[in-house]
Amino acid sequence: MAKLLSCVLGPRLYKIYRERDSERAPSSVPGTPTSVTNPPSSSWDTYYQPRALEKHADSILALASVFWSISYYSSPFAFFYLYRKGYLSLSKVVPFSHYAGTLLLLLAGVACLRGIGRWTNPQYRQFITILEATHRNRSAENKRQLANYNFDFRSWPVDFHWEEPSSRKESRGGPSRWGVALLRPEPLHRGTADTFLNRVKKLPCQITSYLVAHTLGRRMLYPGSVYLLQKALMPVLLQGQARLVEECNGRRAKLQACDGNEIDTMFVDRRGRAEPQGQKLVICCEGNAGFYEVGCVSTPLEAGYSVLGWNHPGFAGSTGVPFPQNEANAMDVVVQFAIHRLGFQPQDIIIYAWSIGGFTGGLVTRTVRQHLNLNNAEQLCRYQGPVLLIRRTKDEIITTTVPEDIMSNRGNDLLLKLLQHRYPRVMAEEGLQVVRQWLEASSQLEEASIYSRWEVEEDWCLSVLHSYQAEHGPEFPWSVGEDMSPEGRRQLALFLAQKHLHNFEATHCTPLPTQNFQMPWHL
């Protein structure tokens, strides 16, 4: 009876991955059916095949879930319509609650029938036995056996906690339960007193912007967090995950961030290979509708690097919602996992991030700045390590006019703000002007023409930077260029711009080819 109840309440099983012959061994989990301990190779190379009762019950529950999601998104309009028609009175609500209760009882019955169908399936009984054993005892053998299954990630046991002693015991300045410290909000302009009357005047806009951010705004900025989109992409995500596990020997793990969100990750280890780049770990940060299963992890994988992919909060197996604070908390636990569990040194970790969309306009501007502000440039300026920006010359998403207008590409602003922060004396009027000219170039030939026009001597630029670093240290910002001639500042500004930004002739969603995946320049 206990096993039947576990089958009723257990997670949905999607696929059983194929096992290599070298990894097969008699199951050490008590209660595992011996008849399915070592199934034929063909049975491990297909999606899990539920029996008829489980299959039909799953279809009914999945349909009910989709209808619930549609009802949730359309609820404001539905309530408004029902209110106008007078259906929200007590005499109308009570019968409706009876109908809803009857429907819930029917769905509970369908869930019980699904559990019976699972209970009659030896493969599911074996899976639920291994899952329960792993929750009781998270030994390496139990985890290895559980990794052969792809199932609803909510039931996956937590593999790494943000407060683990190995990562936070002697750490100072790390995140608290309130989360990773983000940048402070923009200060008020001089002469704008934040009086009580001003606060009252701003209150309606603040309430409206909060509601927009937590309803439509978040889903527009991060469409990948919409349940219906995830449901439609489920077959593609399962196929991508199977490729990472079966072909790349990927290892899935659940990380718990300081805000309680659970982050879905996939790690591919290349350290045992002959290629030296396998000793470096590339952490891939997907775009606003991207998932690691089908995202930018393919580029560093093809280049031979070790790769750690993760999904934003609210995306696929990750829980929560993708607000900036939650994103920062998720990234923190991912990096801690890479250092303290996977064993990579910080200098061997590379962050590879796909661009994120943004939007403009009156109320939206207020909403984004107050609730959805990612502060890309400000966050980038806080980083002291090497940076390489890849600008897509035909990007149709992050240009503010048309893709052909390359000066409206928001990547330009990232480069200018980064260089102005790190080399403020070089990026004075002359340096800023010549870098803008270089950014306006529409072809490699035009870029080379501007570069040669100012006769940039790379050896001289390197010697100036090396001399400054040897005397003052590597920490930014630098005051190099303070006593330099305008011609010297132009040369150095162009040299630095070319080292920090590479062009890639492609649209926003085109995957980056392996040959374009290069390490950032550093002295």
Side-chain angles (χ1 to χ4, degrees):
M1 185 58 68
K3 187 64 66 179
L4 176 59
L5 182 61
S6 298
C7 291
V8 172
L9 302 178
R12 183 174 181 182
L13 178 59
Y14 297 115
K15 185 170 182 178
I16 305 175
Y17 297 123
R18 63 173 181 262
E19 269 191 318
R20 294 180 175 86
D21 292 335
S22 60
E23 293 180 348
R24 293 186 185 172
S27 175
S28 64
V29 179
T32 301
T34 56
S35 60
V36 291
T37 299
N38 291 318
S41 179
S42 60
S43 68
W44 289 78
D45 198 18
T46 60
Y47 287 97
Y48 165 69
Q49 298 296 329
R51 297 192 172 178
L53 186 59
E54 179 186 356
K55 181 178 180 181
H56 295 313
D58 250 336
S59 300
I60 295 173
L61 293 175
L63 187 62
S65 177
V66 170
F67 278 130
W68 168 255
S69 181
I70 294 174
S71 302
Y72 174 78
Y73 291 127
S74 60
S75 58
F77 306 102
F79 275 113
F80 180 73
Y81 174 80
L82 294 174
Y83 175 77
R84 292 292 301 269
K85 294 294 184 179
Y87 292 139
L88 294 183
S89 61
L90 187 61
S91 60
K92 300 290 179 64
V93 170
V94 172
F96 176 77
S97 64
H98 291 164
Y99 296 142
T102 303
L103 181 60
L104 289 176
L105 287 176
L106 289 174
L107 291 176
V110 172
C112 291
L113 291 175
R114 181 181 64 177
I116 295 173
R118 291 171 172 175
W119 185 63
T120 60
N121 191 325
Q123 282 190 330
Y124 192 90
R125 290 207 313 273
Q126 180 190 26
F127 157 69
I128 203 66
T129 301
I130 294 173
L131 178 61
E132 290 176 339
T134 306
H135 278 287
R136 289 193 303 267
N137 178 16
R138 299 180 186 179
S139 65
E141 176 61 21
N142 286 347
K143 286 186 176 181
R144 184 194 68 80
Q145 294 189 48
L146 187 65
N148 290 323
Y149 297 91
N150 188 354
F151 55 97
D152 190 337
F153 201 61
R154 288 173 293 185
S155 298
W156 189 286
V158 173
D159 297 289
F160 183 84
H161 193 278
W162 74 281
E163 259 185 339
E164 281 194 11
S166 60
S167 62
R168 298 294 185 184
K169 187 175 182 180
E170 299 178 357
S171 166
R172 294 184 179 181
S176 65
R177 292 188 180 275
W178 297 100
V180 179
L182 291 178
L183 293 174
R184 295 179 180 178
E186 298 179 3
L188 293 173
H189 296 289
R190 187 174 297 176
T192 57
D194 194 18
T195 63
F196 177 75
L197 184 59
N198 283 335
R199 292 181 182 179
V200 172
K201 289 180 179 178
K202 294 176 183 177
L203 189 60
C205 286
Q206 290 176 346
I207 293 175
T208 305
S209 64
Y210 179 87
L211 293 175
V212 170
H214 287 76
T215 53
L216 294 176
R218 187 255 297 177
R219 292 170 176 85
M220 290 176 65
L221 190 61
Y222 284 97
S225 65
V226 177
Y227 171 77
L228 293 177
L229 177 62
Q230 295 182 28
K231 195 72 175 177
L233 291 175
M234 181 62 72
V236 179
L237 298 181
L238 291 177
Q239 184 179 6
Q241 200 167 94
R243 181 184 65 85
L244 291 171
V245 172
E246 296 177 342
E247 298 179 14
C248 304
N249 200 23
R251 300 204 306 265
R252 200 177 186 188
K254 177 186 282 189
L255 319 181
Q256 188 170 49
C258 57
D259 52 15
N261 288 337
E262 296 171 344
I263 307 304
D264 182 6
T265 68
M266 179 69 73
F267 171 57
V268 178
D269 195 353
R270 298 284 179 81
R271 284 175 290 188
R273 299 193 176 188
E275 294 86 352
Q277 58 266 36
Q279 302 300 317
K280 293 186 178 294
L281 176 68
V282 179
I283 298 179
C284 297
C285 306
E286 302 294 340
N288 59 345
F291 305 84
Y292 73 71
E293 292 89 341
V294 290
C296 60
V297 298
S298 58
T299 298
L301 278 178
E302 291 175 6
Y305 292 90
S306 296
V307 174
L308 177 59
W310 63 284
N311 281 328
H312 297 284
F315 282 51
S318 298
T319 62
V321 290
F323 283 108
Q325 183 62 66
N326 296 349
E327 290 281 310
N329 299 339
M331 190 63 195
D332 171 76
V333 75
V334 168
V335 173
Q336 294 297 329
F337 175 69
I339 295 173
H340 298 285
R341 178 62 62 83
L342 301 181
F344 287 90
Q345 296 299 315
Q347 61 269 22
D348 294 327
I349 296 177
I350 302 151
I351 307 297
Y352 175 42
W354 198 284
S355 177
I356 189 72
F359 36 120
T360 57
L363 176 61
V364 174
T365 300
R366 171 186 290 272
T367 301
V368 171
R369 286 182 177 176
Q370 291 189 359
H371 303 285
L372 299 169
N373 191 0
L374 300 181
N375 279 332
N376 289 337
E378 288 82 359
Q379 297 284 1
L380 184 61
C381 289
R382 296 175 66 179
Y383 177 62
Q384 291 286 323
V387 173
L388 174 62
L389 302 175
I390 300 176
R391 181 178 65 167
R392 296 166 182 269
T393 57
K394 297 181 179 179
D395 200 307
E396 73 281 12
I397 301 297
I398 63 170
T399 50
T400 55
T401 56
V402 293
E404 290 75 19
D405 182 12
I406 198 168
M407 276 308 291
S408 68
N409 189 302
R410 302 300 294 174
N412 302 336
D413 299 271
L414 280 178
L415 175 68
L416 293 174
K417 288 183 178 180
L418 178 66
L419 294 182
Q420 285 175 315
H421 170 75
R422 293 190 169 189
Y423 312 98
R425 302 293 187 271
V426 174
M427 293 299 292
E429 184 177 353
E430 302 89 357
L432 182 62
Q433 183 178 7
V434 74
V435 171
R436 287 187 182 276
Q437 292 177 5
W438 181 76
L439 289 172
E440 287 178 1
S442 57
S443 65
Q444 292 184 353
L445 184 62
E446 193 173 344
E447 284 182 17
S449 175
I450 296 173
Y451 204 72
S452 61
R453 183 194 312 166
W454 295 105
E455 300 178 349
V456 178
E457 299 180 14
E458 295 193 355
D459 292 338
W460 174 80
C461 294
L462 284 172
S463 66
V464 169
L465 295 173
H466 278 299
S467 299
Y468 182 91
Q469 186 184 51
E471 184 177 353
H472 298 90
E475 188 172 350
F476 296 108
W478 288 10
S479 59
V480 62
E482 192 170 13
D483 301 323
M484 196 176 289
S485 66
E487 290 77 11
R489 281 197 290 269
R490 290 190 186 97
Q491 285 193 45
L492 198 54
L494 274 177
F495 174 80
L496 291 169
Q498 190 184 56
K499 294 297 184 183
H500 285 82
L501 184 141
H502 291 175
N503 283 328
F504 173 43
E505 189 174 351
T507 57
H508 185 78
C509 294
T510 304
L512 188 70
T514 305
Q515 62 269 22
N516 291 81
F517 188 82
Q518 303 173 9
M519 293 298 100
W521 169 82
H522 62 89
L523 285 174

